[in-house]
Amino acid sequence: MMTAEAITNAGVLDLAEMSVRDANATLQAATEGAFTLRNPGGRHALACGLMHPVSVTVEGHAGYYCGGMNKEAEITIRGNAGTGVAENIMSGIVRVTGDASQSAGATGHGGLVVIEGNASARCGISMKGVDIVVGGNVGHMSAFMAQAGNLVVLGDAGEDLGDSIYEARLFVRGSVKRLGTDCIEKEMRPEHVAIVAGLLDRAGLFADPSEFRRYGSARRLYNFKIDNVGSY
Amino acid sequence: MTEQPRIPRTVPVKSATFDDYTLSEIRRAAATGLYDIRGGGAKRHLPHFDDLLFLGASMSRYPLEGYREKCGTEVVIGARNAKNPITLRTPITIAGMSFGSLSAQAKEALGRGANAAGTSTTTGDGGMTPEERESSNTLVYQLLPSRYGMNPDHLRMADAIEVVVGQGAKPGGGGMLLGQKITERVAEMRTLPQGIDQRSACRHPDWTGPDDLEIKIQELREITGWRVPIYIKVGASRPYYDVALAVKAGADAVVLDGMQGGTAATQHVFIEHVGIPTLAAIRPAVQALKDLDMHRKVQLIVSGGIRNGADVAKALALGADAVSIGTAALVALGDNDPALEAEYQKLGTTAGAYDDWHEGNDPAGITTQDPRLAARLDPVAAGRRLANYLNVMTLELQTIARACGKSHVLNLEPEDLVALTVESAAMAGVPLAGTNWIPGQG
Ligand SMILES: Cc1cc2nc3c(=O)[nH]c(=O)nc-3n(C[C@H](O)[C@H](O)[C@H](O)COP(=O)(O)O)c2cc1C
């Protein structure tokens, strides 16, 4: 059995041989270095609550909440990720090379989340400043009640994109099945093209930024009015 | 000409169905097109702890000597999974109330009062303020659907985490904080534009059912190194199943909030018509814990309309491990004080009925973000009042426990209680006074 203490900074953590608790304790304690999490086997809560600029590669599929509440660390999941990947991320980067399940990047306050494949429903729900770039499509109710930050989707968006959105910016290259309540298309001005270009660059994904359309809040629901009763 | 005999007339009769309040509410709705939003809990008459009585010691029971024999009040919360469970000197905790709904001064006063009495306070929808952490020795950090201000550093600074699934005032409802209270600081903590009417979600963004919640709790434990207890708070609606599922999801403690439980701002119709009374919720919750062999292992914290030591004693006797207070704590700080009657009149209300907490005009400086009003509340003096009140409640609780012959308040049991009404007997599962009849049990 490997113990947390036995691992040095540049380590391979094999989940076939150690518990998630020991692996996370090692990653949380490290202040620098590169780590590989082997045999993740869809285990939950991997590499969550990291606080320092370490880099972590998860070699395979991760379960729920991988990279949750991340600060400063750079986490790459070489596979698919379960529900709530990088939920409430504060800073740093979480990248999924495959697809992500629902609520990817939920409530994130900062940092960058990159999903190279598709993201399922509620991607970026209640996002609070995080930037999310999705190489494929996003599912329904993505960016629901999104407060701040940018969601860039290279593919299509499902129903009710940006429902009850606040100040977040949504950029979609493909089609939007249906916009949610109070979410409208807005003019794509040069500064928005620049935002998308910058995010694509940071995400390492390739697309022509001028092909994106921008969506955001009509701000009609910011103060309660009875005449909007059908929208609440 | 002879005078006509005067025909007696009946006095005008107002309808019990369409009473004055109902008529005024119809007119208000017709004039404004808005539903009524208010603070506080259910105001209607409900079966409550007043409908129960303690039997006290007698020929067959031996009381403890009032001021000589010890009656313990200490409770430990969260030893099921947490390395550092919480120890409270009194089983009366301060419920979650957000900075935003309350002024910073009020939050500080709650912390001071709780510290002096040896109990915990709780954050709320809106995150943790540094002042709050500073002024509370034992602070429970809420994880709510909105996740406003949610931050892993605060999670690690907390002494316990409370996952809020629901509140008694509004089981199934989200939060709201109206524009008047979204000041610059509140807006920044919540990442929202200033002055908007803020709605918070009623469902968590990253888990849907109890199976997911179990994994969410695992994540919270991983982030906090399995150190602190994790509570789950539910509004009382289906307490048997909710408590059983909370235990299954891995909770160390369950907070059960009945429909009398206060809120900062909710639709009146929601407060008065959704959820069940605190009294009705406790026994099913305790039964769920017993069926899972988890009674006293997973602590049950009951709230909603707790006012005095007798209420606490009754909740404990029915099987709770601790209680939580919101409204009563605010009153101890100075809310609804008759000394402010002139100001309440100006607001179109009267001391004791003031519940427009969402409007932010509280003359007592408690449910406000207006710096001028908030400055009226002296956190030191208000904290002192809360400490006094908590101490009085604890003494009352001990008085009753001793009279029932208990050397610790957690030894109170249903056997010590009888009910005054058939309803309360059925809900609490204790006999109607003077009989051995428990309705529904033969
Ligand atoms: C002003 C105020 C604000 C509240 N804010 C929250 C909150 O943010 N989160 C929460 O779970 N409950 C909140 N509550 C409910 C309390 O935590 C608690 O459940 C309730 O007050 C208990 O009932 P009582 O008021 O009859 O003691 C709030 C209550 C009040 C009065």
Side-chain angles (χ1 to χ4, degrees):
Chain A
M1 275 293 263
M2 267 194 271
T3 64
E5 296 78 55
I7 314 259
T8 53
N9 263 355
V12 173
L13 309 176
D14 189 345
L15 289 159
E17 287 174 23
M18 76 193 300
S19 66
V20 170
R21 178 78 289 262
D22 284 343
N24 279 340
T26 305
L27 296 175
Q28 287 165 356
T31 52
E32 55 180 14
F35 295 86
T36 302
L37 277 184
R38 221 163 259 167
N39 295 309
R43 285 181 181 80
H44 303 304
L46 294 176
C48 63
L50 304 195
M51 312 164 236
H52 302 292
V54 296
S55 101
V56 179
T57 304
V58 180
E59 286 190 341
H61 305 310
Y64 284 39
Y65 311 126
C66 183
M69 303 211 185
N70 185 57
K71 276 179 79 174
E72 300 196 36
E74 217 177 298
I75 301 170
T76 302
I77 300 157
R78 297 206 174 282
N80 302 325
T83 294
V85 64
E87 68 85 19
N88 213 81
I89 180 173
M90 305 302 291
S91 59
I93 303 177
V94 175
R95 176 184 297 273
V96 182
T97 63
D99 297 329
S101 183
Q102 54 186 332
S103 304
T107 77
H109 285 71
L112 175 68
V113 179
V114 182
I115 317 285
E116 295 183 2
N118 303 303
S120 181
R122 289 178 278 275
C123 178
I125 183 171
S126 284
M127 53 195 278
K128 297 170 178 24
V130 64
D131 293 318
I132 304 177
V133 184
V134 180
N137 307 323
V138 295
H140 69 270
M141 290 300 263
S142 286
F144 174 59
M145 292 182 100
Q147 295 172 220
N150 299 292
L151 172 65
V152 177
V153 181
L154 277 69
D156 304 328
E159 287 109 335
D160 298 325
L161 178 75
D163 196 286
S164 305
I165 187 173
Y166 294 101
E167 294 294 296
R169 298 190 202 94
L170 315 179
F171 302 98
V172 182
R173 185 166 64 159
S175 66
V176 173
K177 198 145 190 198
R178 185 174 68 211
L179 287 174
T181 295
D182 211 30
C183 185
I184 53 169
E185 181 165 359
K186 297 188 168 184
E187 188 195 347
M188 189 79 184
R189 293 193 298 267
E191 69 260 34
H192 304 117
V193 176
I195 290 172
V196 173
L199 285 169
L200 289 169
D201 190 45
R202 283 176 64 204
L205 293 178
F206 189 76
D208 178 353
S210 67
E211 287 173 9
F212 287 76
R213 296 164 81 163
R214 177 167 78 104
Y215 305 90
S217 181
R219 304 187 179 94
R220 278 189 306 256
L221 303 182
Y222 276 17
N223 290 96
F224 187 87
K225 283 193 211 73
I226 193 60
D227 298 329
N228 292 334
V229 72
S231 306
Y232 289 98
Chain B
M1 211 174 120
T2 54
E3 214 172 278
Q4 286 290 320
R6 201 173 141 265
I7 300 169
R9 300 185 58 172
T10 54
V11 295
V13 177
K14 288 191 177 177
S15 164
T17 306
F18 290 90
D19 61 9
D20 282 347
Y21 167 76
T22 306
L23 296 174
S24 67
E25 171 54 20
I26 293 171
R27 288 187 200 103
R28 194 203 56 76
T32 63
L34 295 171
Y35 45 33
D36 186 21
I37 294 172
R38 66 170 177 86
K43 290 188 169 184
R44 59 153 95 203
H45 187 80
L46 290 166
H48 198 38
F49 294 119
D50 287 339
D51 300 322
L52 302 182
L53 295 172
F54 281 98
L55 291 174
S58 54
M59 293 281 276
S60 61
R61 300 283 187 285
Y62 202 65
L64 296 188
E65 201 61 69
Y67 294 98
R68 287 179 189 79
E69 287 173 307
K70 195 172 153 32
C71 175
T73 58
E74 189 176 288
V75 293
V76 176
I77 314 262
R80 180 188 183 195
N81 295 297
K83 275 187 222 150
N84 305 335
I86 284 180
T87 301
L88 304 171
R89 233 162 53 218
T90 176
I92 308 164
T93 65
I94 305 301
M97 294 181 273
S98 67
F99 167 72
S101 75
L102 300 186
S103 63
Q105 285 85 339
K107 288 298 280 179
E108 182 186 334
L110 292 174
R112 287 173 173 276
N115 287 352
T119 190
S120 60
T121 62
T122 313
T123 66
D125 204 359
M128 183 192 287
T129 63
E131 298 98 308
E132 179 172 34
R133 177 62 279 190
E134 183 83 358
S135 58
S136 303
N137 291 346
T138 306
L139 181 61
V140 182
Y141 184 41
Q142 288 195 328
L143 180 97
L144 294 117
S146 70
R147 308 282 166 87
Y148 293 135
M150 174 46 58
N151 175 323
D153 298 332
H154 292 170
L155 214 49
R156 293 190 187 98
M157 282 158 66
D159 299 295
I161 297 163
E162 183 169 302
V163 179
V164 179
V165 175
Q167 257 179 261
K170 46 176 174 175
M176 48 173 77
L177 195 64
L178 299 193
Q180 303 90 309
K181 291 174 87 170
I182 309 281
T183 58
E184 197 179 337
R185 183 171 184 205
V186 173
E188 195 194 311
M189 280 181 70
R190 299 182 187 219
T191 330
L192 285 171
Q194 221 176 309
I196 68 163
D197 291 340
Q198 170 254 294
R199 300 151 286 153
S200 27
C202 63
R203 293 199 305 244
H204 280 260
D206 57 353
W207 60 269
T208 37
D211 296 333
D212 288 1
L213 178 54
E214 185 175 354
I215 307 171
K216 183 74 200 168
I217 286 179
Q218 186 198 344
E219 183 207 10
L220 295 172
R221 291 198 196 279
E222 284 295 323
I223 292 172
T224 53
W226 292 73
R227 281 188 314 277
V228 301
I230 298 188
Y231 306 178
I232 295 179
K233 175 173 180 174
V234 293
S237 55
R238 299 176 184 83
Y240 182 86
Y241 295 103
D242 287 345
V243 169
L245 290 169
V247 169
K248 190 206 158 265
D252 297 313
V254 180
V255 181
L256 178 67
D257 192 25
M259 73 178 282
Q260 296 98 324
T263 169
T266 300
Q267 299 90 332
H268 171 84
V269 71
F270 210 145
I271 300 175
E272 295 287 357
H273 298 279
V274 185
I276 65 171
T278 307
L279 182 68
I282 303 177
R283 286 314 288 279
V286 172
Q287 195 56 50
L289 293 172
K290 287 188 167 156
D291 289 350
L292 295 166
D293 193 24
M294 281 293 171
H295 190 223
R296 304 287 186 226
K297 295 178 194 159
V298 169
Q299 282 71 41
L300 179 67
I301 304 171
V302 165
S303 59
I306 304 275
R307 304 153 298 176
N308 51 45
D311 289 349
V312 182
K314 290 167 188 174
L316 298 189
L318 291 175
D321 295 271
V323 302
S324 219
I325 58 167
T327 306
L330 300 187
V331 173
L333 298 189
D335 173 65
N336 267 296
D337 187 341
L340 299 167
E341 180 61 18
E343 299 196 53
Y344 289 124
Q345 294 275 337
K346 274 191 231 150
L347 296 170
T349 183
T350 181
Y354 177 63
D355 59 12
D356 286 329
W357 296 344
H358 57 290
E359 290 179 352
N361 300 323
D362 186 357
I366 296 169
T367 56
T368 183
Q369 290 301 319
D370 178 337
R372 197 179 44 86
L373 292 171
R376 292 181 178 184
L377 188 77
D378 172 357
V380 177
R384 185 67 243 162
R385 287 194 292 275
L386 176 61
N388 286 342
Y389 169 60
L390 288 167
N391 290 338
V392 167
M393 278 208 282
T394 305
L395 283 171
E396 289 173 343
L397 165 63
Q398 286 175 304
T399 302
I400 288 173
R402 283 199 184 94
C404 294
K406 315 295 183 187
S407 60
H408 195 288
V409 294
L410 288 184
N411 295 342
L412 286 163
E413 54 194 325
E415 207 274 326
D416 296 316
L417 291 169
V418 291
L420 283 170
T421 64
V422 176
E423 288 87 348
S424 56
M427 289 178 187
V430 301
L432 190 64
T435 78
N436 54 11
W437 180 46
I438 302 177
Q441 297 184 18

